[in-house]
Amino acid sequence: MEFSEHIKTANVEDVVLKLPFQPPMRGTLCVTGHHLLFSDRAEEREWQLLLLLRNIDAVEKSVENLLGYPQHPKAGQSQRTTGSSGTIIIKCKDLRILQLDIPGMEECLNIASSIEALSSLESITEMYPFFHRPRELSLNDPWGLSSPEQDYVQTERLWDRWRLSKVNSDFSVCPSYPGAMIVPRTVDDDALVKAARFRQGGRFPVLCYCHHRNSMVIMRCSQPMTGANRKRCREDELLLQAVIDESELGYVIDTRSAQQAQQARMTGGGFESKSFYRPWRRIHRHMERGKVLQESLIKLVEACGDPSHNMDRWLSKLENSKWLSHVHSALSTAGLVAECVERDGHSVLVHGSDGTDTTLLVTSLAQVILDPASRTFRGFLQLLEREWVQAGHPFQQRCARSAHSHARLRQECPSFVLLLDCMWQIWRQFPLALEFSEALLLRLAQEAYASDYGTFLCNNEQERCTLGVKENTHCLFQFLLRCSEREKYINPLYEPTELAIWPSVQPQSLQLWTGLFLRWTEHAETMAEAREEIWTIIKEHRERTGAEETTHTPPTHRDTFTAVENLMDELTIL
Amino acid sequence: FVHVRLLIVEQVKLLDRFSNKSTTGTLHLTATHLIFVESNATSAQELWVRQLLCTKLSLTTSGCPLLIQCRNFRVVHFVVPRERDCHDVYSSLLRLLRPVSYDELYAFSYNPKQNEQQRDEGWQLIDLGAEFERMGVPCDQWQLTDVNRDYKVCETYPRDLYVPITASKPIIVGSSKFRSKGRFPVLTYFYQERKAAVCRCSQPLSGFSARCLEDEHMLQAISKANHNNRYVYVMDTRPKLNALANRAAGKGYENEDNYSNIRFQFVGIENIHVMRSSLQKLLEVVGTRSLSVMDYLVGLENSGWLRHIKAIVDAAIFLTKAVTVEGASVLVHCSDGWDRTAQVCSLGALLMDPYYRTIKGFMVLIEKDWISFGHKFADRCDQLDGDPKEVSPIFTQFLECVWQLTEQFPQAFQFSEWFLIQIHEHIHSCQFGNFLGNSQRQREELQLKERTYSLWDHLLSEQQLYLNPVYSPSFAETHPVLEPSTQPWNFKFWRNMYHQFDRSMHPRQSILKNTVMLKENSKELESTVRELQAVSTFSFTLFKPPSSKLQKFGVSTSPLELHSQQKERTLPPRPQSLILGAPLSRKEAQQEDEEEEVYGEEAQEDTPVGSGEERTVEGSSATENGYGEIKGSFGSKSEPAIVSLEFGVARMTC
């Protein structure tokens, strides 16, 4: 592939870059196959901006001819071009907006068209992760944190009733599932194949979480293809029957409204009817998806980008975007799932229509609520790997464009951003319960749209295998877990708790995630300083605790106490 | 003076506002408090009668409901089994709620066991004369005037007033006659660096064309007192329309043509009536059960509350810029100069002067701009049975503005929001004398300093509870003047104020509480280490010491215990507050309970109310969040009784 075809002007001098909260900078702009590079050569400071072209969502250009022809009829060609200039406004997928003032109309147009072409290349193997070769990482490093096989081997409580099935090892049963899955022990592979035919996209019910306290499970799948004629599938029914004991009940949480589920039958989809799935109770919780969610994000970002709003206008724009309502419904549906499992002690099956968006959102949030392991740094990344990357959330389609793009929407949908927002809300309410900080969520929000790493490339494991993603790119999760990176994303206040953390879903408890949506609009310097201060307090505390522990050397500590005690007695006497 | 018989009603149910849970207990009514004691519990909830507004609802099958709204935004819903009892409580409360004279207020019977000397010292903590000296007044341009020594010129002003040197007595008196309620322009804050003054007054009685030479001279004198900038900004904090309407009543605003060197500016803060109804709308919205996000945001917008808050902050920023950037003196007024003017002047001073961002400084600020200059606390907070149209949350708004600033500048304030909420509590509690009455003159007549105690003394004595753990004095050096952002998204709903008592609303773990604890713990550990090091050289062996005493030092007697000790983090007693999370001891008790409990929710499903225990983190639980009703046999289970114990109010004094 030739990136150079797209690059008509590679270098421009004397470009002025304007970033929020910074004085304009003058320097050299350079377009490469994957990056936009700006370097400020002012002597007192070496400043560089390296922007992944993939991160660019929209480019707006305007050119003006300052001198114009009429006033300078005799001016030469060169003079005319120096007199003209252009401005490019770059809107990034991480919501940053930057402005470049480029001398020379032609250069400006060239740069703009290069950016447009290079930022929307569709071929995955041409993307930067396939070229990113940092010195400290090797392609032989392990890719990914875990696999269904490892998960199964490590979770002893599953062995009794669950087994690992490799029926999908060639991705023929379900193209969007990974090669191995955990299914009820009593159901054989043939039955799985048949059940898969009955589910949209072949996504038959599989285990995603087994609760550590009561071994109740959360499973997920896609909608059953009952259609208008109320088709049945014996194997699918048996599969679900095998999940729970005869005497028990289970819940099917359908992330569509009852009406939507009914309508889905017209297009071949449907829901589990009461008569065929006896022990299962169905609860419908409507959650928005697809275009509606994307439009919500676009509206919210637009509202956050306009500082001229007065109070009322801002609130009505915020309301109008409905983003917080989506946060609310995601959290409360996840809460419901967790409630079924923990409080009522029943297993739950979650699905919507495709089982690749709202389903994953709900199952992963429910796990964070229930499972202390998924609240650790590593555990959370494992959760994302398992429930999003391996479970086949189509990142490539969903994150192709973000909120600024004028391109026509296709498959874009900010499901993953919504998950991160919900995580942020949980962190706000339980600031001690998560081992990672807001910074990790922000980093992930950025990486999902444009990354140096291969983790979020492709739509499912099959595509990743075909393109050799794991062999030819580095893994983001592995990278984040390296000590040097890890430190940036740790929550200093973390105190593990074994209990479930039930987030409040009252509207008064939900807040706009300013860290993400106003990241580039608001100056958060004072907040960062305060966070530093908290860090310092904690460090001091740790040092002192450490110091105290060292004084507690076992052979003498008892003596020391006695001595202290005596001193105290003396003091009280005095 | 107790003219109400002490009522005791048993078997009263207390319902939670946002969930379906309830607790049963006994209701006690005293002259000053309504106390709810849960059955099988040691703790009680107290409501201050002074703070209540109650409504009796219609009879239901389970009993007679009594809905009580407190002025600290607590809403309590009792169900009394017998209608007669309910009526007794209701009518007694109604009588108690309408005291006719100040003498009936709690402050006059409250006795914190202090002697007279201590009481006097408490009242002397705040000295406004010293405060003006701190600002650099009197100086060559500003002097203390004795014109109001006997409250003859203006009875709502304090005795000691500061005016420009060139403002002679006749000018002052003349000017005061031209100002509403005699509130002529006086100094309230002096920005020493630029020698610029912030002055306050009430609206001029200008009508459509009236002039007053003395008043014009007065402004001239203010202008002359500032050598840096001859222009005086005159901020009329009202919307222009209101000011115009006032002209018809013979009042109005300064005509720029008649006053030399003034720059006149309307700011547009709404009046007390608008504010009152705005808060009412806000509370209605946020008090709705199962409120949707949409309705919440629409309601927040329609209430206009945050718009009003922003307007006040905007005005304070305008004032601050004029003074600190242009070095100009500013005269602030509204209609009477005791509501909006107090808000803007005090908030402006807070932005300009780091001293006011300390605990002591904040008290001084309130004493100066609110108490001494005659904000009508008695009327605005409805201390006596007065005109309901005079009631308005003006001071609450000021506290909220300060809170909005603390959110933007977490390191700039010595106090945490808990301090603001405590002050708010006491403007209504009438436990201390500070906020009683409408003016200094009235307070002197009531002999408050001899008969009541000072809140400031009380708050200072427990100031470690109100410290902001991330406060940085060096921040004040780098940011002497705060420049807050006025983007609308920076103005947030103050959940901890308006939902202080609604536990399902709060973050389940608090960074504030945790950092405070870490800090205190650090200090403790440090001293322990020092002591241990000091004594570890001795090596005498004696009996095994009783561990209790050592534990006070945060030291445990065995290495094994050490870990658990650190987790416990003994703290000095602090007010139980939901904002700071559930009280520590209770949390632990609860966790212990849970650990004993064997898993078996299924078995408990049909057990009666209150027996189902839940695993929670600091009181977060699935039921009260109401994620959704699960159909079928798993009906909603009632909350365990133990959780609602955490309702506790701040004090247990009675």
Side-chain angles (χ1 to χ4, degrees):
Chain A
M1 81 265 107
E2 290 299 323
F3 297 121
S4 54
E5 280 172 21
H6 298 291
I7 304 174
K8 288 172 211 143
T9 304
N11 269 300
V12 194
E13 300 278 336
D14 249 0
V15 172
V16 175
L17 169 70
K18 288 174 188 157
L19 281 171
F21 316 120
Q22 283 180 37
M25 281 166 283
R26 192 175 288 275
T28 311
L29 184 74
C30 178
V31 183
T32 72
H34 291 111
H35 289 101
L36 195 66
L37 176 70
F38 177 89
S39 52
D40 181 2
R41 291 161 310 141
E43 272 165 33
E44 61 271 23
R45 50 179 196 154
E46 271 295 312
W47 194 86
Q48 282 200 333
L49 173 88
L50 186 67
L51 187 72
L52 209 52
L53 288 172
R54 182 83 196 151
N55 191 355
I56 294 174
D57 208 18
V59 182
E60 286 165 17
K61 51 185 186 284
S62 60
V63 281
E64 59 186 287
N65 203 327
L66 286 180
L67 298 175
Y69 294 95
Q71 290 97 331
H72 299 268
K74 285 172 199 165
Q77 181 73 25
S78 62
Q79 219 177 337
R80 253 185 267 136
T81 29
T82 50
S84 63
S85 74
T87 298
I88 299 180
I89 292 173
I90 294 176
K91 297 183 171 174
C92 300
K93 290 171 185 166
D94 63 10
L95 309 182
R96 184 164 29 164
I97 294 177
L98 24 118
Q99 184 184 335
L100 293 164
D101 294 340
I102 298 170
M105 191 165 71
E106 202 182 323
E107 283 85 348
C108 177
L109 292 174
N110 284 347
I111 297 266
S113 68
S114 302
I115 293 175
E116 270 167 358
L118 289 166
S119 64
S120 46
L121 288 181
E122 302 252 335
S123 161
I124 290 171
T125 47
E126 284 177 14
M127 286 176 186
Y128 186 63
F130 282 87
F131 299 86
H132 180 59
R133 297 287 175 266
R135 217 176 302 150
E136 70 273 18
L137 297 175
S138 152
L139 283 179
N140 297 325
D141 292 340
W143 207 98
L145 304 176
S146 188
S147 65
E149 288 90 342
Q150 276 166 289
D151 290 340
Y152 181 75
V153 171
Q154 282 164 10
T155 323
E156 204 184 321
R157 60 177 176 273
L158 291 177
W159 299 349
D160 202 19
R161 299 184 54 194
W162 299 83
R163 69 182 184 96
L164 193 74
S165 165
K166 298 201 175 169
V167 67
N168 197 36
S169 55
D170 58 352
F171 306 110
S172 59
V173 178
C174 171
S176 63
Y177 268 168
M181 276 142 314
I182 301 168
V183 294
R185 188 166 274 287
T186 52
V187 179
D188 62 19
D189 281 356
D190 289 342
L192 292 179
V193 174
K194 284 179 186 152
R197 279 191 218 125
F198 185 61
R199 294 275 172 180
Q200 178 162 346
R203 294 176 71 90
F204 57 90
V206 294
L207 177 117
C208 69
Y209 173 68
C210 177
H211 193 33
H212 61 106
R213 278 188 62 233
N214 55 16
S215 290
M216 289 300 138
V217 298
I218 300 176
M219 308 201 25
R220 56 175 152 72
C221 60
S222 59
Q223 63 177 343
M225 305 303 282
T226 53
N229 312 324
R230 297 182 186 275
K231 263 185 282 178
R232 292 178 66 169
C233 172
R234 197 77 199 124
E235 286 75 14
D236 190 68
E237 289 163 23
L238 287 174
L239 198 165
L240 287 184
Q241 180 66 62
V243 174
I244 47 180
D245 292 333
E246 271 173 34
S247 56
E248 277 183 36
L249 277 171
Y251 282 107
V252 176
I253 310 280
D254 193 325
T255 63
R256 303 163 296 177
S257 66
Q259 197 192 0
Q260 279 176 320
Q262 283 287 356
Q263 280 166 355
R265 286 175 45 212
M266 297 302 123
T267 50
F271 48 89
E272 292 82 0
S273 77
K274 229 179 254 169
S275 40
F276 304 150
Y277 296 83
R278 275 222 164 270
W280 292 86
R281 300 265 164 115
R282 209 174 60 246
I283 299 176
H284 290 277
R285 294 305 286 273
H286 176 64
M287 288 171 72
E288 289 297 350
R289 62 202 79 218
K291 212 173 241 179
V292 178
L293 210 53
Q294 181 73 15
E295 272 159 10
S296 166
L297 178 75
I298 292 173
K299 279 186 194 161
L300 177 65
V301 168
E302 192 207 316
C304 292
D306 189 346
S308 66
H309 291 323
N310 64 24
M311 199 71 228
D312 290 0
R313 184 123 184 85
W314 159 249
L315 285 173
S316 88
K317 285 241 167 187
L318 183 63
E319 177 244 312
N320 201 19
S321 80
K322 297 201 168 61
W323 181 260
L324 284 173
S325 300
H326 303 319
V327 171
H328 175 269
S329 59
L331 275 175
S332 59
T333 311
L336 178 70
V337 170
E339 205 178 354
C340 294
V341 173
E342 157 95 13
R343 262 177 54 77
D344 292 307
H346 293 289
S347 290
V348 179
L349 173 72
V350 183
H351 72 75
S353 39
D354 291 337
T356 52
D357 291 271
T358 49
T359 307
L360 306 181
L361 185 57
V362 170
T363 55
S364 42
L365 285 172
Q367 288 178 60
V368 171
I369 293 174
L370 292 173
D371 184 13
S374 66
R375 298 177 215 139
T376 64
F377 195 147
R378 193 186 180 89
F380 180 63
L381 295 181
Q382 274 175 340
L383 176 79
L384 294 183
E385 185 179 63
R386 198 172 63 234
E387 288 298 295
W388 289 79
V389 178
Q390 292 170 356
H393 174 70
F395 278 101
Q396 204 66 41
Q397 294 173 353
R398 299 291 183 257
C399 303
R401 292 280 163 195
S402 178
H404 289 301
S405 174
H406 305 302
R408 208 166 57 83
L409 290 180
R410 286 174 299 177
Q411 299 276 340
E412 286 83 356
C413 172
S415 308
F416 189 66
V417 176
L418 186 57
L419 169 87
L420 296 174
D421 196 330
C422 292
M423 285 304 299
W424 181 80
Q425 307 284 350
I426 292 178
W427 170 75
R428 289 277 306 183
Q429 297 188 21
F430 298 92
L432 316 182
L434 305 180
E435 197 192 6
F436 46 91
S437 66
E438 181 183 7
L440 179 72
L441 302 176
L442 289 171
R443 171 94 191 236
L444 289 169
Q446 190 173 346
E447 298 280 344
Y449 283 89
S451 178
D452 293 349
Y453 302 88
T455 301
F456 295 123
L457 286 183
C458 301
N459 292 312
N460 50 50
E461 291 289 276
Q462 185 186 20
E463 286 182 29
R464 273 175 214 114
C465 274
T466 321
L467 298 175
V469 168
K470 294 184 188 182
E471 291 75 35
N472 295 304
T473 70
H474 296 289
C475 170
L476 173 69
F477 296 154
Q478 286 286 358
F479 174 72
L480 290 175
L481 284 171
R482 293 166 70 98
C483 283
S484 55
E485 288 298 303
R486 197 174 183 273
E487 196 147 273
K488 297 183 208 162
Y489 303 112
I490 283 293
N491 172 14
L493 292 161
Y494 176 58
E495 265 179 37
T497 169
E498 283 298 306
L499 302 174
I501 50 174
W502 303 104
S504 159
V505 293
Q506 306 272 14
Q508 293 95 317
S509 309
L510 303 178
Q511 286 184 325
L512 177 70
W513 185 9
T514 46
L516 179 70
F517 296 110
L518 298 168
R519 191 177 178 183
W520 312 104
T521 342
E522 264 304 299
H523 214 6
E525 192 188 308
T526 53
M527 290 297 166
E529 281 170 10
R531 266 198 296 275
E532 278 300 294
E533 183 64 29
I534 292 178
W535 248 122
T536 322
I537 293 172
I538 291 157
K539 276 183 189 149
E540 268 172 26
H541 180 254
R542 287 201 186 134
E543 273 163 29
R544 287 191 184 135
T545 328
E548 196 204 30
E549 267 158 12
T550 51
T551 15
H552 277 274
T553 38
T556 55
H557 78 269
R558 234 163 251 277
D559 305 346
T560 323
F561 289 135
T562 329
V564 176
E565 180 73 3
N566 285 337
L567 273 178
M568 283 167 56
D569 281 344
E570 273 174 49
L571 284 172
T572 35
I573 292 161
L574 286 170
Chain B
F1 63 91
V2 185
H3 55 265
V4 167
R5 67 167 188 272
L6 194 81
L7 275 174
I8 298 179
V9 187
E10 282 173 356
Q11 288 294 311
V12 175
K13 240 194 227 166
L14 174 64
L15 307 181
D16 185 74
R17 179 145 78 122
F18 294 103
S19 67
N20 292 323
K21 57 180 196 169
S22 67
T23 39
T24 313
T26 311
L27 200 61
H28 302 258
L29 180 65
T30 75
T32 50
H33 292 87
L34 187 65
I35 304 166
F36 179 75
V37 184
E38 271 175 60
S39 356
N40 329 319
T42 45
S43 78
Q45 301 185 42
E46 279 182 32
L47 305 172
W48 295 70
V49 166
R50 200 81 306 288
Q51 298 196 346
L52 309 178
L53 283 173
C54 56
T55 349
K56 209 168 83 175
L57 303 173
S58 56
L59 195 69
T60 66
T61 44
S62 52
C64 191
L66 185 67
L67 185 71
I68 296 176
Q69 288 169 289
C70 309
R71 295 204 185 279
N72 57 10
F73 308 117
R74 180 179 205 167
V75 177
V76 195
H77 195 158
F78 289 116
V79 179
V80 184
R82 282 170 44 204
E83 196 188 357
R84 209 197 125 100
D85 289 338
C86 183
H87 186 77
D88 281 352
V89 175
Y90 178 69
S91 52
S92 311
L93 276 174
L94 283 190
R95 240 176 307 153
L96 285 169
L97 282 171
R98 308 228 160 94
V100 189
S101 79
Y102 283 100
D103 293 345
E104 291 175 43
L105 295 180
Y106 183 43
F108 293 98
S109 55
Y110 169 71
N111 183 356
K113 312 237 166 4
Q114 284 187 347
N115 62 31
E116 231 164 79
Q117 194 196 343
Q118 286 168 315
R119 162 149 68 187
D120 289 345
E121 279 167 11
W123 281 112
Q124 282 154 14
L125 274 172
I126 308 285
D127 175 1
L128 289 185
E131 169 56 14
F132 278 96
E133 251 169 63
R134 189 193 65 87
M135 293 180 210
V137 179
C139 62
D140 57 346
Q141 296 296 329
W142 292 88
Q143 65 179 359
L144 179 68
T145 172
D146 57 3
V147 67
N148 203 36
R149 267 288 133 84
D150 307 311
Y151 299 113
K152 289 248 169 67
V153 178
C154 172
E155 61 172 7
T156 57
Y157 266 169
R159 289 176 192 270
D160 292 342
L161 293 167
Y162 297 83
V163 291
I165 287 240
T166 50
S168 64
K169 244 177 218 177
I171 289 182
I172 294 174
V173 174
S175 166
S176 85
K177 289 196 173 124
F178 187 62
R179 294 277 171 181
S180 182
K181 307 279 195 304
R183 294 170 70 92
F184 60 95
V186 293
L187 182 79
T188 175
Y189 181 69
F190 189 63
Y191 188 67
Q192 226 171 339
E193 206 170 293
R194 307 288 299 260
K195 304 272 179 242
V198 179
C199 299
R200 56 186 290 172
C201 61
S202 60
Q203 64 183 337
L205 304 175
S206 53
F208 288 99
S209 59
R211 290 181 62 168
C212 167
L213 284 179
E214 287 92 341
D215 194 61
E216 287 160 26
H217 276 141
M218 188 75 198
L219 265 73
Q220 194 69 42
I222 294 173
S223 146
K224 273 190 204 145
N226 183 347
H227 296 300
N228 286 322
N229 195 330
R230 283 286 179 221
Y231 279 103
V232 175
Y233 279 94
V234 177
M235 282 173 75
D236 189 327
T237 54
R238 299 168 294 182
K240 189 173 183 180
L241 208 63
N242 299 21
L244 285 172
N246 261 304
R247 289 205 305 192
K251 298 163 188 169
Y253 56 92
E254 290 82 355
N255 184 340
E256 255 179 318
D257 299 338
N258 299 341
Y259 295 83
S260 47
N261 293 337
I262 72 160
R263 284 178 179 165
F264 187 83
Q265 177 81 33
F266 285 113
V267 182
I269 303 174
E270 297 290 347
N271 65 23
I272 58 167
H273 311 294
V274 176
M275 299 307 190
R276 181 179 55 242
S277 76
S278 168
L279 180 62
Q280 205 155 11
K281 280 185 210 156
L282 179 79
L283 293 177
E284 254 166 49
V285 171
V286 300
T288 316
R289 273 182 78 152
S290 27
L291 179 67
S292 77
V293 178
M294 290 292 120
D295 291 343
Y296 166 65
L297 289 172
V298 170
L300 201 57
E301 182 196 339
N302 289 344
S303 77
W305 183 254
L306 288 176
R307 170 164 31 98
H308 301 315
I309 296 291
K310 179 165 151 39
I312 297 164
V313 175
D314 281 338
I317 292 172
F318 179 88
L319 167 71
T320 306
K321 280 202 176 132
V323 173
T324 59
V325 178
E326 293 182 43
S329 292
V330 182
L331 176 66
V332 185
H333 73 75
C334 46
S335 299
D336 290 322
W338 50 44
D339 293 313
R340 291 168 269 205
T341 303
Q343 288 176 329
V344 173
C345 289
S346 54
L347 207 58
L350 191 82
L351 291 176
M352 285 185 261
D353 195 333
Y355 174 66
Y356 295 131
R357 295 171 225 149
T358 63
I359 287 185
K360 178 83 185 288
F362 193 64
M363 295 173 176
V364 170
L365 185 67
I366 292 175
E367 189 74 34
K368 173 168 70 75
D369 274 321
W370 292 86
I371 297 175
S372 86
F373 277 114
H375 174 68
K376 303 202 291 173
F377 279 104
D379 288 358
R380 298 289 177 259
C381 304
D382 203 18
Q383 290 170 354
L384 295 187
D385 189 23
D387 182 359
K389 285 213 173 99
E390 283 285 308
V391 180
S392 188
I394 301 302
F395 189 70
T396 310
Q397 282 186 320
F398 164 68
L399 292 177
E400 175 162 342
C401 291
V402 177
W403 175 78
Q404 303 280 2
L405 294 176
T406 64
E407 284 288 287
Q408 278 197 44
F409 302 98
Q411 291 195 276
F413 293 84
Q414 194 191 7
F415 47 85
S416 66
E417 71 178 321
W418 183 225
F419 183 57
L420 301 175
I421 291 173
Q422 276 302 294
I423 294 176
H424 183 261
E425 180 87 22
H426 285 294
I427 59 169
H428 296 293
S429 77
C430 297
Q431 183 182 3
F432 297 96
N434 307 57
F435 298 112
L436 299 190
N438 283 325
S439 65
Q440 282 302 61
R441 181 181 184 168
Q442 200 179 7
R443 278 176 207 111
E444 282 172 25
E445 283 164 8
L446 288 169
Q447 296 174 295
L448 290 179
K449 292 192 179 178
E450 290 80 48
R451 299 171 62 202
T452 69
Y453 295 84
S454 168
L455 170 66
W456 307 135
D457 184 35
H458 169 73
L459 290 179
L460 273 177
S461 72
E462 48 180 44
Q463 66 166 309
Q464 82 278 3
L465 301 178
Y466 308 120
L467 291 176
N468 166 14
V470 295
Y471 170 61
S472 152
S474 65
F475 186 89
E477 282 159 33
T478 49
H479 303 74
V481 178
L482 296 184
E483 291 167 45
S485 154
T486 55
Q487 291 301 329
W489 44 71
N490 282 312
F491 294 86
K492 292 176 263 182
F493 172 67
W494 191 4
R495 187 186 50 210
N496 286 353
M497 172 66 104
Y498 304 106
H499 286 302
Q500 196 196 338
F501 298 95
D502 301 313
R503 55 192 300 282
S504 59
M505 296 286 173
H506 294 289
R508 304 325 168 90
Q509 295 172 326
S510 147
I511 295 185
L512 172 65
K513 182 180 82 170
N514 204 263
T515 343
V516 168
M517 279 198 303
L518 284 177
K519 231 179 160 174
E520 282 170 9
N521 221 317
S522 261
K523 259 188 224 159
E524 234 170 64
L525 283 171
E526 195 183 42
S527 66
T528 321
V529 166
R530 231 182 276 126
E531 272 172 64
L532 284 171
Q533 280 164 348
V535 291
S536 58
T537 44
F538 297 82
S539 57
F540 35 88
T541 324
L542 279 168
F543 311 105
K544 187 184 172 202
S547 56
S548 60
K549 244 183 186 175
L550 289 175
Q551 274 170 1
K552 277 192 285 191
F553 276 68
V555 181
S556 74
T557 40
S558 82
L560 265 177
E561 270 174 63
L562 183 72
H563 183 67
S564 62
Q565 271 296 307
Q566 277 159 5
K567 265 194 155 172
E568 200 174 304
R569 290 193 181 134
T570 41
L571 268 181
R574 60 178 62 244
Q576 298 176 355
S577 158
L578 287 170
I579 314 166
L580 297 173
L584 273 180
S585 53
R586 191 147 297 128
K587 175 193 157 198
E588 271 144 34
Q590 196 183 334
Q591 275 184 0
E592 263 170 40
D593 283 352
E594 283 159 3
E595 270 146 26
E596 282 164 25
E597 185 212 2
V598 237
Y599 161 70
E601 304 258 275
E602 195 69 30
Q604 289 177 6
E605 235 156 57
D606 298 314
T607 47
V609 173
S611 62
E613 194 73 50
E614 263 185 65
R615 299 191 152 232
T616 61
V617 171
E618 309 214 9
S620 106
S621 74
T623 26
E624 70 191 3
N625 289 323
Y627 299 118
E629 53 314 318
I630 307 177
K631 296 158 206 159
S633 62
F634 329 103
S636 61
K637 263 184 265 177
S638 299
E639 279 285 294
I642 193 154
V643 179
S644 48
L645 292 185
E646 292 158 19
F647 263 118
V649 214
R651 291 151 315 274
M652 294 292 291
T653 44
C654 192

